[in-house]
Amino acid sequence: MAMLDDSNVFGNILVIDDDQEVCGTMKSLLTRMLLHCETVSTLRGGLEKLRSQNFDVVFLDVRLPDGNGLDALGEIKALEDSPEVIILTGQGDPDGAELAIQGGVWDYLVKPTPIKQTMLSVQRALKYREEKRAESPVVAMNLDNMIGYSSGMHRIFDLMAQSARSLSATLITGETGTGKELTARTIHENSGRRTGRFVVLDCASLTETLVESTLFGHRRGAFTGADKDRTGLIKMADGGTLFLDEIGELPLNVQKSFLRVLQEKRFRPVGSLQEETSDFRLIAATNRNLENRVHEGKFREDLLFRLKTIAIELPPLRERIEDIKPLSLHHITRLCEQYKVPVKGFGSDFFEVLGSYRWPGNVRELFNVLERAFVASGQEKTLYAMHLPQDIRIKVAKATLGEAREDGAAEGPQSPLEQEARSAAAGLESLMTGDLPDLRMFKSLMEKQYLQTLIERCGGDLNQILRISGLSRSHYYALLKKSGLSAK
């Protein structure tokens, strides 16, 4: 490997670790490998470095003074030209390793790591990065209908790009309403098969007999009601993409037949003696756990292996709260264009309610709620929380009140004085976030809050109150009377 100077971006290594001995050892080792190395001892310092400089590999400790390194993986991977990440931790944690690998790390090393293993990991990561850079430029994905700025969605977009460049089978999993069909369609439209058909079959909507006939087609007279030949969806997807939604519902006997089709790209229509061929690319989706279905004997393990060559798991909306606002802006703008009305604005309370709801129906439910709010707003120019469906607002209010009760219960019963102090503090916070009061009123409020806290801490002991506050007895009682407080 050639000597690398500070100006050469390739070969830049960053070590984020609070153990100075580890940092010194790593810097010495990497320097001997003719690589440029920098070290930082905090997660915050490491992220600042990554935002301001280009690094090719990052050694990331898990337990840092100001946070968990694994929690920063999403932000690191979302960076433009993000570096390869090698976790370097003092404690082997199987769950941590799983999270790290799911987060896209290159390697997971446990301290003390043998020098040879560390060197091999770095060399392989740099070689991979060099080969990736040498590839011909990839055309940017058209993501016009895919809205997402969260770190989780950045990982999804990377996997979608990988799938679009490939002919391999892709399995998309996720809860109902997360956008599995839209993801599949976007992959197709960005693939080399974009000029072919995108053929959809919902496996849960058909009976066992109809699924087989719909997939493979049939010949006239093959069964009662088959009054003419019918081309199956597999043949219709020739040269394009076949999307099987809810593939977990595919009957077992059809799974066996379909596995052969995947392997050989040959099939026999129902009632036919002749085999046909179809050059299709498969994308499947399900909201079920197919591994569990395999254990239950309801899904073939060999078919599952073929389906998940590329696996994409879409996150639920409650795990990407930061995407609610851009999704809402996108959908409301589209509704305004559809109904030919000026684009509506939003009250601040609108997004507060949306962000507090759990969204069991995910993006599909969000879009339905937004359309109901849009209709309820009529000709009004701004959408407020009051335009949202009552059932949503009620659930949010109940959840908020429930959390408040739990917080109160955790702290134990409150005395009347504590309740009054909390009320005063809440009122003061409200004043500070709204229109400011005049200085005299503000001083009175602060005075009252100080006295309440003082009395509580001193248990009403007059001598202690006077000593701490520096007030005379007469002045103290005058302030109590002015604030409407009791000395007890």
Side-chain angles (χ1 to χ4, degrees):
M1 190 176 292
M3 174 69 76
L4 296 165
D5 58 38
D6 292 3
S7 63
N8 192 336
V9 174
F10 186 74
N12 266 3
I13 315 294
L14 177 65
V15 178
I16 306 176
D17 199 306
D18 62 331
D19 188 326
Q20 294 304 311
E21 186 176 343
V22 170
C23 287
T25 301
M26 291 296 297
K27 187 159 188 174
S28 175
L29 172 62
L30 294 167
T31 301
R32 290 203 306 271
M33 293 174 67
L34 305 182
L35 300 171
H36 174 70
C37 174
E38 295 186 36
T39 65
V40 291
S41 59
T42 63
L43 186 59
R44 181 178 179 180
L47 291 174
E48 288 176 354
K49 284 265 187 192
L50 288 167
R51 295 188 198 105
S52 61
Q53 297 176 235
N54 287 327
F55 289 93
D56 298 290
V57 176
V58 174
F59 280 92
L60 178 63
D61 192 8
V62 174
R63 297 186 177 182
L64 291 158
D66 55 344
N68 188 310
L70 296 179
D71 294 337
L73 280 177
E75 184 174 349
I76 294 172
K77 299 303 290 185
L79 293 168
E80 186 176 353
D81 194 23
S82 62
E84 304 307 320
V85 179
I86 298 175
I87 295 295
L88 191 63
T89 180
Q91 290 189 331
D93 176 9
D95 292 334
E98 181 180 351
L99 286 172
I101 292 168
Q102 289 174 346
V105 303
W106 174 261
D107 204 352
Y108 188 92
L109 305 179
V110 179
K111 305 174 194 173
T113 307
I115 291 176
K116 184 177 180 180
Q117 185 179 356
T118 304
M119 292 175 66
L120 278 174
S121 188
V122 174
Q123 289 167 348
R124 288 167 180 165
L126 289 174
K127 183 178 180 182
Y128 165 75
R129 190 168 175 81
E130 188 175 20
E131 289 175 352
K132 190 166 64 172
R133 285 181 170 180
E135 291 178 357
S136 55
V138 179
V139 178
M141 289 273 288
N142 181 353
L143 297 170
D144 288 346
N145 294 314
M146 298 287 296
I147 308 298
Y149 299 98
S150 61
S151 58
M153 287 307 294
H154 279 290
R155 290 196 298 272
I156 296 302
F157 295 154
D158 288 343
L159 289 170
M160 288 172 63
Q162 179 184 333
S163 179
R165 296 193 297 267
S166 170
L167 295 177
S168 300
T170 298
L171 178 63
I172 304 171
T173 58
E175 296 178 6
T176 299
T178 48
K180 295 185 287 293
E181 182 174 341
L182 175 61
T183 301
R185 191 178 294 275
T186 303
I187 290 171
H188 168 76
E189 291 173 351
N190 284 276
S191 73
R193 293 178 171 246
R194 66 179 70 88
T195 56
R197 289 181 176 180
F198 181 76
V199 181
V200 180
L201 173 63
D202 182 356
C203 300
S205 65
L206 300 174
T207 63
E208 184 173 329
T209 304
L210 282 176
V211 167
E212 194 169 16
S213 170
T214 303
L215 271 176
F216 305 125
H218 63 252
R219 293 291 173 258
R220 179 181 177 182
F223 51 85
T224 303
D227 53 356
K228 60 181 180 180
D229 291 352
R230 175 175 175 175
T231 302
L233 298 184
I234 290 176
K235 187 63 177 178
M236 291 174 62
D238 192 6
T241 300
L242 176 63
F243 174 59
L244 297 186
D245 198 8
E246 301 305 338
I247 196 167
E249 307 301 327
L250 199 64
L252 270 172
N253 68 315
V254 180
Q255 291 177 31
K256 182 178 180 180
S257 304
F258 189 67
L259 179 61
R260 178 175 177 269
V261 176
L262 272 180
Q263 292 169 336
E264 302 179 14
K265 296 300 174 77
R266 301 179 67 85
F267 66 98
R268 183 180 290 113
V270 178
S272 174
L273 299 176
Q274 300 293 323
E275 284 194 333
E276 298 183 13
T277 61
S278 176
D279 176 25
F280 66 93
R281 189 270 177 92
L282 177 69
I283 301 179
T286 181
N287 63 2
R288 287 180 173 268
N289 185 317
L290 293 186
E291 282 81 4
N292 289 346
R293 299 281 284 177
V294 168
H295 294 317
E296 294 167 0
K298 297 178 180 178
F299 204 84
R300 293 181 63 98
E301 188 173 32
D302 48 3
L303 177 56
L304 176 57
F305 290 151
R306 292 301 300 266
L307 291 177
K308 60 186 301 184
T309 305
I310 299 174
I312 301 175
E313 183 175 1
L314 299 179
L317 187 56
R318 63 181 172 275
E319 292 180 5
R320 43 183 290 224
I321 297 297
E322 58 266 51
D323 288 334
I324 288 178
K325 187 170 183 178
L327 281 166
S328 301
L329 293 171
H330 170 78
H331 193 62
I332 292 295
T333 300
R334 191 164 62 180
L335 287 172
C336 291
E337 292 173 353
Q338 180 182 338
Y339 286 91
K340 296 180 172 57
V341 298
V343 176
K344 293 179 182 285
F346 299 88
S348 59
D349 61 344
F350 189 81
F351 291 116
E352 286 177 10
V353 173
L354 294 184
S356 300
Y357 184 56
R358 293 289 292 169
W359 299 109
N362 294 294
V363 178
R364 184 182 300 160
E365 183 184 13
L366 173 65
F367 284 178
N368 175 264
V369 166
L370 290 172
E371 186 162 2
R372 290 166 68 185
F374 176 85
V375 172
S377 69
Q379 298 300 313
E380 295 177 40
K381 297 180 180 179
T382 304
L383 288 167
Y384 294 99
M386 64 173 291
H387 294 128
L388 291 167
Q390 286 187 2
D391 57 322
I392 301 294
R393 293 165 59 198
I394 289 170
K395 288 175 182 175
V396 169
K398 283 185 174 180
T400 304
L401 290 171
E403 289 173 3
R405 281 199 298 270
E406 288 176 7
D407 290 343
E411 293 171 3
Q414 295 177 354
S415 68
L417 187 59
E418 286 176 322
Q419 293 173 8
E420 190 175 356
R422 282 181 176 273
S423 176
L428 186 60
E429 182 178 351
S430 176
L431 283 170
M432 293 300 291
T433 55
D435 293 331
L436 287 174
D438 61 54
L439 186 58
R440 176 182 290 182
M441 182 182 293
F442 183 80
K443 284 181 177 179
S444 297
L445 288 167
M446 289 298 292
E447 218 167 49
K448 182 175 181 178
Q449 187 174 350
Y450 174 82
L451 290 172
Q452 286 174 321
T453 305
L454 182 65
I455 293 168
E456 179 65 20
R457 289 187 181 180
C458 297
D461 186 323
L462 180 60
N463 291 330
Q464 190 177 1
I465 289 172
L466 297 179
R467 180 177 58 79
I468 292 174
S469 66
L471 296 171
S472 66
R473 186 187 299 261
S474 59
H475 192 185
Y476 170 64
Y477 281 111
L479 288 177
L480 287 180
K481 184 176 181 181
K482 174 185 171 184
S483 301
L485 295 175
S486 168
K488 296 183 180 180

